[in-house]
Amino acid sequence: MLVTYLEASRDLCETDSILFGAALAVCRIIGAKVSTAGRATGQSSAIPAWRRRIEERIAKASALIGRLICFRSGNNRPRIVRTVRMAFTGTCQFVPARYNAKTKTERIDDLKQRIAAWGKRIRRYTERSTRFNQNRLFQSDQKRLYESLERPMVSGTGPAPNQADTVAFWRGLWSEPVNHSEGPWTEVVASQCAGITPMDPVIITPDDVAEAVLRAPNWKSPGLDGLHHYWLKGFMLWIFEARASNFPEAFAQFAQRSSGLVKE
């Protein structure tokens, strides 16, 4: 795969896709478990693992409550009965549909109390984490802390912006030519900068790329490409040459976009 496709790549996105495909092929060959959930969005979940576990318990308990209510009202379908058996697992009791509605009600109340306790636990942990982060921010940057406390909460319940209006607004800023009337100060700045020697162009060599990759930790959190440095170190050295050849073009495109030379 690398020999066939990598030498023909023309930009960083294509190079990263090829390297990611090669790493994925290696994992499938050796039978390693691979998760590519965060590659499409480029973002990993910010929810802590303990909170996800508690939220899963709450969701399961809520589902059991719904099935118990159906069972108590006379729904005796096999699927409902199986769920009710799960609801009474560990309680040393199972109540058929024809009698003892009090025990079913007690089990429903018990699950509701568990949900309330789990919700309080999430709120308690969240408040503790907020206090910890605020105390740490107070020690490092008090101004930033006060700004975060004074910043008004922004609600996202309003109507979404119209796509056509948004495109028209930004196209009017970036696509329409504008003739600016500059003042005399521009001539002064131009005369002062006339004697400055332009900086030599930045040339990124394969050795620069190899040195940066080899210094990085193997399993550091990857970027948008979803590729760890372990794979870049494990592949052959000529990969660095193909990767370094993409940087000048990428920097040129970035500079053009920054200066407004590239328009829609």
Side-chain angles (χ1 to χ4, degrees), residues 1-2 5-9 13-23:
M1 179 186 294
L2 296 178
Y5 298 106
L6 191 58
E7 293 183 353
S9 65
C13 295
E14 187 176 355
T15 301
D16 287 334
S17 298
I18 296 172
L19 295 178
F20 185 85

Side-chain angles (χ1 to χ4, degrees), residues 225-236:
D225 56 359
L227 197 66
H228 293 86
H229 292 103
Y230 170 84
W231 298 104
L232 301 180
K233 295 178 182 180
F235 291 144
M236 291 181 291

Side-chain angles (χ1 to χ4, degrees), residues 152-204:
M153 297 297 294
V154 179
S155 176
T157 58
N162 184 274
Q163 182 178 2
D165 295 341
T166 304
V167 173
F169 173 79
W170 288 107
R171 181 174 287 123
L173 293 178
W174 291 99
S175 300
E176 299 296 335
V178 178
N179 296 324
H180 298 282
S181 58
E182 304 292 351
W185 63 271
T186 56
E187 299 179 359
V188 177
V189 174
S191 61
Q192 293 176 351
C193 297
I196 299 178
T197 304
M199 185 182 67
D200 296 333
V202 178
I203 300 176
I204 299 178

Side-chain angles (χ1 to χ4, degrees), residues 2-216:
L2 296 178
V3 173
T4 306
Y5 298 106
L6 191 58
E7 293 183 353
S9 65
R10 292 295 179 265
D11 53 32
L12 286 176
C13 295
E14 187 176 355
T15 301
D16 287 334
S17 298
I18 296 172
L19 295 178
F20 185 85
L24 183 61
V26 172
C27 291
R28 289 180 176 178
I29 292 173
I30 65 177
K33 185 177 180 181
V34 180
S35 175
T36 60
R39 179 172 168 80
T41 59
Q43 300 178 353
S44 59
S45 176
I47 303 177
W50 61 265
R51 181 166 182 171
R52 288 199 301 269
R53 289 194 297 267
I54 295 178
E55 290 178 349
E56 289 175 358
R57 295 175 190 173
I58 293 176
K60 291 180 180 179
S62 300
L64 290 177
I65 290 175
R67 297 297 178 84
L68 282 172
I69 293 175
C70 293
F71 185 62
R72 187 177 58 180
S73 62
N75 190 338
N76 297 327
R77 290 185 299 174
R79 184 178 179 182
I80 299 294
V81 174
R82 284 197 302 269
T83 308
V84 172
R85 293 179 189 273
M86 295 172 53
F88 282 95
T89 300
T91 61
C92 301
Q93 57 184 344
F94 173 69
V95 184
R98 62 180 181 272
Y99 65 90
N100 206 348
K102 179 180 178 181
T103 307
K104 305 171 198 175
T105 304
E106 290 177 353
R107 186 58 179 164
I108 292 174
D109 293 339
D110 177 68
L111 291 174
K112 289 182 178 180
Q113 292 175 9
R114 288 174 180 266
I115 292 176
W118 289 330
K120 289 181 180 179
R121 184 180 301 179
I122 291 177
R123 288 193 295 271
R124 184 171 65 250
Y125 287 164
T126 302
E127 292 174 357
R128 179 185 178 278
S129 177
T130 302
R131 289 195 301 269
F132 175 79
N133 293 332
Q134 289 178 350
N135 291 336
R136 185 173 59 180
L137 188 60
F138 180 81
Q139 298 294 333
S140 59
D141 192 349
Q142 297 183 10
K143 178 180 178 180
R144 183 180 173 188
L145 171 63
Y146 294 139
E147 289 178 351
S148 64
L149 295 177
E150 296 175 356
R151 186 180 299 114
M153 297 297 294
V154 179
S155 176
T157 58
N162 184 274
Q163 182 178 2
D165 295 341
T166 304
V167 173
F169 173 79
W170 288 107
R171 181 174 287 123
L173 293 178
W174 291 99
S175 300
E176 299 296 335
V178 178
N179 296 324
H180 298 282
S181 58
E182 304 292 351
W185 63 271
T186 56
E187 299 179 359
V188 177
V189 174
S191 61
Q192 293 176 351
C193 297
I196 299 178
T197 304
M199 185 182 67
D200 296 333
V202 178
I203 300 176
I204 299 178
T205 64
D207 293 336
D208 296 333
V209 180
E211 182 181 359
V213 172
L214 293 176
R215 285 203 313 265

